[in-house]
Amino acid sequence: MKLTISGASVVSDGIWLIEMEPRHVCLLGDAGTAQGVRSVVLISDAAFDDVGSTLSFEAERAFPINLGTTSQTIAISLRPKPENRSAAVSLGDVQDEAVRKGDRQFLDMAQRLLPEPMFRASATLLREVRKRSPGDLKRGQARNFSNSPDNFWYVIIQPRIAELSITVRGPVEHFRNMAKVAIKDDRGNTRFKVSSEKDVQAALELIFHAKRRL
């Protein structure tokens, strides 16, 4: 659902002050914190019309991070200048013509919801996985993707914190001696985060150390 809010004022590049009642902010999702008088909402692909002073965005691409007590709301774009986004960051650069539907859905979502550095990290990670393990990602009900035909790794896009959460098959003890990022138990499997391009190599090592069924 597309929302258009009038009376938006520019605070800085990609940051606006808008009027949105707390109850309406809650409809966008769980903010996690409730402090102060102003709500704070992160928005992917926001469009600002400086002539009409309107801010437009898709409700599903807005993520509250604080719920205030008044209608004063700070809207922050995840991409302050999407029109200047580097042309080098395109699906054609990170996948060949044989890219499958699920992989492309993952890349599309990562490109929409994550900052450019994390989109690059996501694209590089998937490209390197596919070099060694052909397959496809299968999208779940939210922003989660399972690998097929063997789900030895599972990834969730987390736009609110600009990270990937990855689960690999096998208990923590199986990865403990070789892990170069923090790992946690995930119901008998192992979960870790990718928060920058620097984490990609460590992530690949964990992914390919996962237990396989095929």
Side-chain angles (χ1 to χ4, degrees), residues 130-170:
R130 288 293 170 251
K131 283 182 179 179
R132 296 170 56 183
S133 179
D136 194 21
L137 291 174
K138 182 179 179 181
R139 182 178 176 181
Q141 294 183 350
R143 295 180 290 274
N144 54 304
F145 295 81
S146 57
N147 189 70
S148 63
D150 181 13
N151 187 26
F152 65 99
W153 72 291
Y154 178 97
V155 57
I156 303 174
I157 296 174
Q158 298 183 308
R160 188 173 298 172
I161 55 177
E163 291 181 343
L164 298 179
S165 174
I166 298 177
T167 296
V168 286
R169 185 186 294 138

Side-chain angles (χ1 to χ4, degrees), residues 4-10 16 46-57:
T4 299
I5 299 176
S6 59
S9 58
V10 177
W16 303 272
F48 178 66
D49 179 0
D50 55 359
V51 176
S53 296
T54 59
L55 186 68
S56 301
F57 55 91

